[in-house]
Amino acid sequence: MAGSAPGGGRPLIITEDPLLLDDLLRLCAAAGAEPHVHHALPGQDGAVGTGGGAGSVGWESAPLVLVGDDAARRVRGAPRRAGVFLVGRELDDPDVWQRAVEIGAEEVLRLPDAESRLVDRIADVVEGAGRPALAVGVIGGSGGAGASTLACALAVRAARAGERTILIDGDPLGGGMDVLLGGESAEGLRWPDFAASRGRVGAGALEESLPELHALRVLSWDRGDRGVVPPAAMRSVVAAARRRGGVVVVDLPRRVDEAVAEVLAQLDLVLMVVPGELRSVAAAGRVAAGVRMVARDVRVVVRGRCPGGLDPEAVAGLLGAPLAGEVPVEVGLPGRVAEGEPPGTQGRGALARFCDGFWQRALGSAQGVPA
């Protein structure tokens, strides 16, 4: 989990330009931040400050410093630090880069073009953004492959291991992941509530708004007939889900449209579930071709043994993707699910053992998912 940002999560603004200050205050408000404002370097008589008194913040302790173009020369000579940005509105100033170098700015941001970028950086400070969540997508190589079952089990096992976990239902025709978790009547927002989302979605607000089932948060579809969420909303919501770290699992439809492509682009890994039969392997080849156009890492999970004599390694070889493992068919699972027991609950079951092994490898690697 990401910790609180230094300086109480409040950025420092240094400017005497009233118009620029209005813009920066507006952008801070959009990001949910309450900034400190100074006309020069904070500290006694304009000297460089490192902490300030109660309720104030200094140059070195602020988590983010936004220096107006007008104030660049006044902060020249301040200690070098990360998180300093030179902000202005003049697009054709040839000396702006020299001033940025003089104050050690990471970047020059010109308004209004850079407003979205600046809101993102301010919001990162407010939310204490750290390492993003490990995001894993699950997709069926053919109809009835069991992708939703595996996605649900992965989320359940990650939550039981103590990981902050969000399960996202990316398939509007899949029947609802909240149903699979036994929480179709649970209070909380569903996908249609986010259809109008644009730009940055607050990570904390998203998480708190979703139904909590079996120690995880789930974003599913409601029982209405609306089954389309714009690509921009998909992108914003998935990005927010990842921002607080932990694990994000996404159940994906087999058809890759523009909205699904936005999700695939943010995933660290896609597990393609392929039943152990030749027709399913053939169908999975077409699915894999579409997924590989966007996803950076696609791996195969073979469910059951192939009666044609193909072992799991051979199935993965035919699909041209690494093998993530084999999940034997678990006797009694459909009946338990029908009785309200989510997949993965049985700790000694084949499905739970696969998921536990997967997370041990994935979360135990400092670089993410090991090859």
Side-chain angles (χ1 to χ4, degrees):
M1 297 288 291
S4 298
R10 299 180 63 181
L12 172 64
I13 296 175
I14 304 177
T15 183
E16 287 185 342
D17 183 338
L19 296 179
L20 179 59
L21 179 59
D22 284 346
D23 283 338
L24 294 178
L25 291 175
R26 172 176 55 83
L27 296 177
C28 284
E34 182 182 352
H36 296 274
V37 179
H38 290 269
H39 300 306
L41 278 175
Q44 188 175 6
D45 297 326
V48 175
T50 59
S56 66
V57 66
W59 171 271
E60 294 181 359
S61 60
L64 184 74
V65 180
L66 306 176
V67 180
D69 247 356
D70 63 294
R73 289 184 174 83
R74 294 196 296 279
V75 303
R76 189 187 304 166
R80 295 301 170 113
R81 51 150 295 167
V84 176
F85 293 83
L86 185 62
V87 187
R89 291 190 304 274
E90 179 58 54
L91 299 177
D92 300 320
D93 184 352
D95 299 323
V96 64
W97 298 107
Q98 178 62 35
R99 294 196 296 275
V101 170
E102 290 173 350
I103 67 172
E106 288 185 14
E107 195 173 340
V108 175
L109 300 175
R110 288 309 190 201
L111 305 182
D113 292 350
E115 285 193 356
S116 177
R117 161 80 171 150
L118 187 50
V119 169
D120 281 348
R121 291 305 301 263
I122 297 170
D124 282 344
V125 167
V126 175
E127 296 178 352
R131 184 175 181 178
L134 178 62
V136 178
V138 185
I139 191 168
S142 63
S148 296
T149 298
L150 178 58
C152 185
L154 283 168
V156 167
R157 300 311 297 179
R160 290 200 170 192
E163 293 292 330
R164 169 193 173 267
T165 305
I166 295 181
L167 174 60
I168 297 178
D169 188 350
D171 186 358
L173 303 180
M177 296 300 288
D178 55 350
V179 176
L180 199 54
L181 285 163
E184 59 270 25
S185 61
E187 292 186 1
L189 300 184
R190 266 66 173 182
W191 263 121
D193 298 304
F194 296 97
S197 299
R198 297 291 185 276
R200 186 181 180 106
V201 174
L206 170 69
E207 185 171 0
E208 292 168 6
S209 72
L210 300 178
E212 184 174 8
L213 303 167
H214 302 278
L216 61 92
R217 298 283 182 167
V218 58
L219 175 54
S220 189
W221 300 86
D222 61 12
R223 311 284 81 84
D225 57 3
R226 179 167 186 170
V228 177
V229 171
M234 281 279 191
R235 178 174 62 250
S236 297
V237 170
V238 174
R242 295 196 66 194
R243 206 171 294 130
R244 281 190 164 186
V247 164
V248 173
V249 180
V250 186
D251 181 41
L252 297 163
R254 289 189 294 130
R255 181 176 179 272
V256 179
D257 58 16
E258 188 177 353
V260 174
E262 290 287 358
V263 179
L264 287 170
Q266 298 191 58
L267 299 179
D268 297 298
L269 169 68
V270 176
L271 297 176
M272 186 167 60
V273 185
V274 184
E277 57 181 14
L278 291 176
R279 286 187 64 204
S280 296
V281 174
R286 293 187 289 272
V287 175
V291 173
R292 283 197 191 100
M293 295 178 66
V294 186
R296 63 173 69 99
D297 190 348
V298 181
R299 304 184 195 179
V300 174
V301 175
V302 177
R303 186 172 66 85
R305 284 283 175 168
C306 187
L310 295 176
D311 58 24
E313 289 79 8
V315 172
L318 288 172
L319 295 172
L323 178 66
E326 177 187 3
V327 180
V329 175
E330 188 170 321
V331 177
L333 178 61
R336 293 196 300 271
V337 171
E339 294 174 357
E341 181 181 295
T345 305
Q346 291 281 334
R348 295 183 178 180
L351 188 59
R353 292 198 304 272
F354 171 85
C355 294
D356 289 347
F358 172 81
W359 289 127
Q360 286 171 10
R361 295 189 301 273
L363 297 172
S365 171
Q367 303 300 320
V369 184

